Amino acid sequence: MSAKDPQAYPLTAGMEMNGKAVGLQKYEALGGYEGAKKALLQMGPAQVMQEVKDSNLRGRGGAGFPTGQKWSFVPMGENAPNTRYLVVNADEMEPGAFKDKFLLEGNPHQLIEGMVISSYAIGASVSYVFLRWAYKEAAKRIEQAISEAHSKGYLGKNIFGSGFDHEVRLHTSAGRYICGEETALLTALEGKRGIPRAKPPFPQICGLWGKPTVVNNVETMANVPHIIRNGAKWFKEISRSSDGGTKIYGASGRVNRPGAWELPMGTPLRELLEIHAGGMKDGYKLKGIMPGGASTEFMLEEHLDTPMDFDSVPKAGSRLGTGTLMVMDHKTCPVGLVLNIMEFFARESCGWCTPCREGLPWLTGILRKVEHGDGNPEDLEILNEHIPLLGMGRTFCALAPGAIEPLQSALKYYKQDFEAHIEKKTCPYK
Amino acid sequence: MLTPSEIEEIKHEVERAGRGLNASVEALKIVQRQRRWVPDEELEEVSKLLGVTTHELDAVATFYSFIFRRPVGKNLILVCDGPACWMLNGHMLAETIKAELGIGLGETTKDGEFTFLPISCIGLCDKAPAMMINDDVYGGLTPEKVREALKKYR
């Protein structure tokens, strides 16, 4: 990725394939921290917020909520609470996702700069990176970047002589998927058992320690310096869709070149699979794709011309999610795969609300029975009946609704596979 | 019992965090650094330093996958059980570990050298199947590569 045009590939320009981070000097040579300087010296917080709104940057954690709009719910002005927080969600634990790791390890200063600018926009003097336990290398690189940014005056008191003070703190978690849910993340950051909170009130009003808080994903933050430096208009132009910017896409499974790539937002699924991932391995045919992690519905061959952006993927019955594809080949058992995913969600349920705590282990048990050849036709009815019972509005957070997305689409697209397990009393893929 | 330097470190974390409970995860990690797990006695000591009840602190300790309330071995073998690794037969690596060390998931070798646990997707999906041993990550695993990796910790 070394010789890439920073105007077209802002997030990964300067990143090398050797696995090392873009160092501070190199980042500065690419224009690093100029966005922060411009924001703090030439723009007011409201102007920064407006620029991000105009850019159509949408949250890269998976939900795609417009970032500028998210910020605008933070109470500002003289009568607003003085203490506000920015929290970066770097708890990437969505199975199949590795895009934030790629950015954290590849260019930690880009994250820090995004945090400084975003914190300035919402008036936060302290921000946190909530990092997942397993990302040990990322932790070292973030710590180093924080300390380097301090020594150059990009963090600390009176940054660029603007009068704006800011500190970034790193919190490394101890391993639990639910902490990626924004309200559970805040509860965990307060040192408590990380269970989700009821919304409203939303974190922008009542977040960390009851103060107005914005929670943004790593990739979202990484985009902010470039939007400020190059403008909202440029950001919209580098995209192939109405959502602004580029996207870190990726692919895993039996493809020729698994990996992660920065491409214009809205790049069609077919291009990702056939060009960037190099197509299916010899002897393997495409059976389905989970486009954005384990909590997204399968997409099929017929969906390959879908532009991969937040509004187009739902038209094909799924969600963009993290944009890191898990590609299932025709020799992989879809029942076994959904069982693996359901085991994960059942284990990671925080246990706070009943449908998730009781429902997911129940579904896991039924799926295990079917996969191992002990299922009967009524089991499929029970699975189908549970889908609305674990849906949105029945639970505190999106864990259980996310968990049933792959099951729901598997029951629809791979019904014959489920039935074959029951008829043959064994897994036909074994 | 906590050592004087551990007590100092925990106090420092409490100060940095502003109030006791905020430093819970950091404090538990300090306890684990040498012992590798959190025994009842130390849990109680930490709760006093944090100004919370033992139950409040245990609620946190038992919540996380990598805060251990039971002894674990010197080396942690964490094999990714995410779907990307599963598709590439990551679950079969357990057989290699069983053959090499005689332990299954959740077990510790008799000599206390190794504990074998599952870990949720570790973001090495493009290098599946993957695992961690302590802080080291390994991708593109085959039974042979697992055997090679284990040698480094013996």
Side-chain angles (χ1 to χ4, degrees):
Chain A
M1 295 225 169
S2 49
K4 280 198 167 172
D5 176 8
Q7 291 289 312
Y9 302 96
L11 303 184
T12 54
M15 273 195 207
E16 289 172 34
M17 297 306 285
N18 61 12
K20 284 190 189 150
V22 174
L24 179 55
Q25 256 187 329
K26 189 170 182 185
Y27 185 57
E28 286 172 327
L30 285 162
Y33 289 102
E34 276 171 23
K37 195 171 183 178
K38 182 178 171 187
L40 269 55
L41 296 182
Q42 296 169 31
M43 299 166 85
Q47 233 182 319
V48 172
M49 200 181 282
Q50 191 59 45
E51 196 70 28
V52 172
K53 265 191 197 170
D54 292 345
S55 75
N56 283 354
L57 171 64
R58 295 177 66 173
R60 302 292 199 247
F65 194 83
T67 305
Q69 199 186 340
K70 192 176 204 179
W71 295 358
S72 71
F73 298 134
V74 174
M76 300 291 279
E78 278 177 23
N79 298 324
N82 271 328
T83 307
R84 306 180 193 103
Y85 295 106
L86 174 82
V87 179
V88 172
N89 188 344
D91 196 50
E92 182 171 66
M93 260 182 89
E94 183 64 33
F98 50 101
K99 65 175 187 77
D100 293 339
K101 177 169 175 281
F102 180 70
L103 289 172
L104 291 166
E105 291 182 0
N107 194 344
H109 277 289
Q110 180 169 255
L111 171 74
I112 306 288
E113 186 183 4
M115 292 173 75
V116 171
I117 299 170
S118 308
S119 297
Y120 175 70
I122 62 161
S125 55
V126 177
S127 59
Y128 290 88
V129 181
F130 190 101
L131 183 70
R132 82 169 283 198
W133 178 87
Y135 284 2
K136 308 280 183 179
E137 187 57 35
K140 282 186 216 157
R141 293 183 187 188
I142 295 165
E143 283 288 10
Q144 189 186 339
I146 291 173
S147 128
E148 286 170 349
H150 252 285
S151 61
K152 295 281 293 222
Y154 299 145
L155 288 174
K157 297 269 177 218
N158 195 18
I159 302 169
F160 302 119
S162 65
F164 179 65
D165 304 337
H166 193 70
E167 295 293 342
V168 171
R169 292 180 188 162
L170 174 66
H171 173 85
T172 48
S173 187
R176 202 69 201 263
Y177 175 74
I178 190 65
C179 295
E181 197 279 335
E182 70 172 6
T183 62
L185 184 150
L186 296 175
T187 314
L189 195 50
E190 292 174 0
K192 299 172 197 153
R193 206 175 161 90
I195 48 177
R197 302 172 180 178
K199 292 191 277 195
F202 287 88
Q204 292 96 321
I205 308 294
C206 181
L208 191 61
W209 298 298
K211 305 294 183 196
T213 304
V214 165
V215 183
N216 278 147
N217 169 262
V218 171
E219 189 183 349
T220 311
M221 279 294 101
N223 276 293
V224 170
H226 307 289
I227 293 170
I228 298 304
R229 204 180 330 143
N230 300 321
K233 187 170 170 285
W234 159 84
F235 193 70
K236 283 194 281 193
E237 280 168 4
I238 60 171
S239 164
R240 287 169 72 172
S241 84
S242 59
D243 306 340
T246 60
K247 176 82 192 77
I248 307 291
Y249 294 104
S252 62
R254 289 196 172 87
V255 293
N256 284 313
R257 286 193 301 275
W261 322 279
E262 180 182 19
L263 295 165
M265 179 64 98
T267 298
L269 185 54
R270 188 183 300 281
E271 274 186 48
L272 297 180
L273 179 67
E274 292 176 2
I275 300 174
H276 302 286
M280 300 300 293
K281 280 201 163 144
D282 268 356
Y284 292 95
K285 285 184 284 190
L286 176 67
K287 189 165 175 93
I289 297 175
M290 305 180 87
S295 52
T296 56
E297 279 107 333
F298 286 96
M299 294 172 83
L300 305 176
E301 182 109 37
E302 67 196 68
H303 301 126
L304 285 181
D305 293 314
T306 307
M308 297 302 282
D309 60 51
F310 289 110
D311 291 333
S312 305
V313 184
K315 290 176 194 154
S318 188
R319 292 189 301 123
L320 178 62
T322 59
T324 38
L325 320 174
M326 277 193 284
V327 181
M328 178 172 67
D329 59 81
H330 77 296
K331 291 180 186 170
T332 295
C333 173
V335 180
L337 179 60
V338 173
L339 169 61
N340 168 279
I341 288 167
M342 201 58 79
E343 281 172 342
F344 164 80
F345 284 114
R347 178 176 77 202
E348 294 298 333
S349 168
C350 77
W352 183 244
C353 60
T354 314
C356 185
R357 181 187 64 239
E358 306 297 330
L360 296 179
W362 186 254
L363 293 178
T364 305
I366 295 172
L367 281 167
R368 192 175 292 131
K369 240 173 78 178
V370 174
E371 168 65 5
H372 294 160
D374 300 324
N376 54 55
E378 293 84 74
D379 288 330
L380 297 188
E381 284 169 37
I382 297 173
L383 290 175
N384 275 306
E385 272 170 20
H386 274 73
I387 284 163
L389 299 176
L390 285 133
M392 276 294 187
R394 303 263 184 177
T395 56
F396 260 89
C397 82
L399 190 145
I404 55 164
E405 284 180 32
L407 172 63
Q408 169 172 267
S409 63
L411 286 166
K412 186 167 68 182
Y413 296 144
Y414 310 120
K415 191 168 177 239
Q416 286 174 333
D417 287 296
F418 282 88
E419 287 168 351
H421 279 74
I422 292 167
E423 278 161 29
K424 295 183 179 142
K425 299 209 169 294
T426 184
C427 173
Y429 289 83
K430 275 182 184 143
Chain B
M1 224 169 68
L2 293 174
T3 65
S5 75
E6 284 171 333
I7 292 171
E8 274 316 299
E9 258 189 280
I10 293 170
K11 281 184 176 165
H12 174 75
E13 287 298 335
V14 171
E15 202 175 308
R16 206 172 79 104
R19 61 190 117 165
L21 189 60
N22 300 351
S24 61
V25 174
E26 287 307 322
L28 292 166
K29 284 182 181 172
I30 291 167
V31 175
Q32 278 196 167
R33 205 184 296 142
Q34 297 302 322
R35 291 171 197 80
R36 307 191 295 276
W37 68 295
V38 181
D40 288 348
E41 186 191 342
E42 282 78 3
L43 184 97
E44 195 176 338
E45 284 184 274
V46 172
S47 70
K48 281 177 187 152
L49 289 170
L50 265 52
V52 300
T53 67
T54 50
H55 293 83
E56 278 176 287
L57 188 60
D58 207 14
V60 177
T62 54
F63 177 73
Y64 290 105
S65 304
F66 298 102
I67 300 293
F68 300 111
R69 289 287 278 119
R70 281 192 287 175
V72 292
K74 269 186 204 154
N75 300 290
L76 287 181
I77 306 168
L78 305 168
V79 174
C80 176
D81 67 358
C85 286
W86 180 86
M87 283 198 284
L88 295 175
N89 297 323
H91 51 297
M92 310 287 268
L93 301 175
E95 287 169 24
T96 309
I97 291 165
K98 180 95 189 172
E100 285 293 302
L101 302 172
I103 49 172
L105 276 172
E107 294 174 354
T108 300
T109 52
K110 284 204 181 79
D111 59 8
E113 288 293 315
F114 293 95
T115 294
F116 175 25
L117 294 169
I119 186 167
S120 304
C121 178
I122 48 175
L124 287 171
C125 314
D126 54 341
K127 298 175 188 71
M131 69 173 179
M132 290 175 78
I133 300 182
N134 305 330
D135 289 358
D136 308 324
V137 293
Y138 298 91
L141 291 172
T142 57
E144 190 47 42
K145 284 187 185 168
V146 170
R147 280 190 285 270
E148 279 302 309
L150 287 174
K151 276 183 196 162
K152 292 186 205 164
Y153 306 89
R154 279 179 157 169

